Amino acid sequence: YQEIAGRFADGTAYTLLKPDYGFSALAYGPMAKAVLVSPRIAPQLIGVGLLEAIPEAEILANARAQAAAAGPIKGVPNRVWDAPSGKTRIGRFGWKANVASIAHQTAGAFNGDIGITSSLFPDEACTAAQKDCLAAPRGGQPEIDDKTLGDVVFYQATLAPPARRHVNDVTVRKGEKLFHAAQCAACHRPGYETAGSDHSAALARQRIHPYTDLLLHDLGEGLADGRPDGQANGRQWKTPPLWGVGLIRDVNQHDRLLHDGRARGVMEAILWHGGEAEASRDRVLSMNRDEREALVRFVESL
């Protein structure tokens, strides 16, 4: 990591970590110069069924409202091919909203991550250079049946987000006001009402608060990975939901955030925001210590 030093307006120093990635001991020879690399940490699985149940019209309404409003915030949806429906749909999952459904994400992970084929992804994910992979025994055609795949999809779709904590805490309520004053809610939209769900009736017609617009935003050169994905370009990222962020430390024994885990906690994640979010970041830089602590406490209460 390269350390990047900075100061808040009140003189308090901070340090950000800029990662520098490389590869060694490659098993199949040098990589082609055209290979694009963008490290990822796994996003949370909580609440994905509820996110899938948000009406598409609401996501498009977010984009229209931002386009009509003054200021730099101009989110756009990603549109990607969805294997279960065989159609191009609005992306909702992944760091660049490059997947439209839980079923596509799950079947794609079975195939691409651990080599298990399904009716949605029936071909092995071996490259031409991977002779051992191509010659390996197969576990069936496909290797996971539709019912088992469906059970895994159902399990993921019904993982509930945690209840909010410390809702009436004075500091948390102060942080909520600062969150809105800094225009963070322009992208991290607080609430929706879900429509129907193919997974469970329990997901339908629920009032939820994921704090996302599910749109792509240009977050500046500091976070750019130069890697397009669907209609997302190399500077765009989907607004991640904020619910459950305050429990990541308890679950994972760390609080590394952003797509590659470079941020050590909520405040560093905010300070990496640029591009469309530069004005909001600058508002946070102008806050005093008590205001910054209140803002973080609010985000961690979600």
Side-chain angles (χ1 to χ4, degrees):
Y1 289 101
Q2 172 190 348
E3 292 191 352
I4 300 176
R7 291 185 181 276
F8 292 97
D10 64 5
T12 303
Y14 65 81
T15 303
L16 302 179
L17 298 180
K18 181 180 180 180
D20 180 20
Y21 298 103
F23 296 86
S24 61
L26 294 170
Y28 300 100
M31 280 195 283
K33 292 182 178 180
V35 170
L36 299 176
V37 176
S38 184
R40 298 281 192 273
I41 61 172
Q44 298 181 87
L45 279 177
I46 55 168
V48 292
L50 294 168
L51 294 176
E52 190 173 86
I54 293 174
E56 184 176 291
E58 290 294 318
I59 302 173
L60 296 175
N62 290 338
R64 288 195 302 272
Q66 292 175 16
I73 304 299
K74 307 294 179 188
V76 295
N78 200 352
R79 298 182 186 274
V80 295
W81 179 76
D82 178 55
S85 65
K87 300 177 180 178
T88 297
R89 298 175 56 193
I90 289 178
R92 300 168 187 251
F93 306 110
W95 289 102
K96 288 180 180 274
N98 67 328
V99 177
S101 67
I102 302 169
H104 183 117
Q105 176 69 40
T106 304
F110 267 121
N111 183 248
D113 295 346
I114 52 180
I116 295 178
T117 59
S118 65
S119 61
L120 296 179
F121 292 90
D123 299 322
E124 299 288 346
C126 305
T127 68
Q130 294 173 294
K131 306 300 183 183
D132 291 344
C133 177
L134 292 168
R138 302 293 180 244
Q141 296 293 334
E143 293 166 315
I144 186 172
D145 61 84
D146 286 345
K147 181 184 184 305
T148 304
L149 177 63
D151 288 344
V152 176
V153 171
F154 173 81
Y155 166 71
Q156 293 179 113
T158 53
L159 285 172
R164 275 198 64 189
R165 283 96 43 221
H166 315 299
V167 178
N168 295 316
D169 181 271
V170 173
T171 302
V172 169
R173 293 173 72 89
K174 176 182 177 181
E176 182 174 14
K177 293 179 180 178
L178 292 166
F179 182 88
H180 286 273
Q183 298 298 306
C184 301
C187 299
H188 291 281
R189 173 178 164 178
Y192 299 86
E193 184 170 329
T194 62
S197 171
D198 294 333
H199 304 296
S200 171
L203 301 173
R205 293 175 293 282
Q206 296 292 324
R207 187 65 187 171
I208 63 172
H209 296 86
Y211 283 82
T212 176
D213 58 8
L214 295 176
L215 297 175
L216 298 169
H217 295 274
D218 182 336
L219 291 186
E221 192 59 34
L223 287 178
D225 66 349
R227 184 181 181 275
D229 206 334
Q231 295 181 357
N233 64 39
R235 292 168 57 101
Q236 289 177 312
W237 301 95
K238 184 199 75 180
T239 306
L242 295 181
W243 53 12
V245 165
L247 295 174
I248 288 178
R249 188 183 300 108
D250 296 313
V251 174
N252 293 340
Q253 306 305 306
H254 67 75
D255 56 357
R256 304 301 286 253
L257 301 174
L258 298 179
H259 64 280
D260 56 4
R262 68 178 67 187
R264 297 164 295 185
V266 170
M267 183 51 67
E268 284 193 18
I270 294 171
L271 295 178
W272 271 109
H273 282 54
E276 295 177 35
E278 184 175 350
S280 292
R281 180 202 63 201
D282 289 347
R283 290 187 179 97
V284 175
L285 284 169
S286 71
M287 294 179 184
N288 61 40
R289 184 185 298 273
D290 289 344
E291 290 171 331
R292 298 194 301 269
E293 289 179 356
L295 177 63
V296 171
R297 285 274 300 276
F298 166 68
V299 173
E300 292 184 343
S301 77
L302 299 176

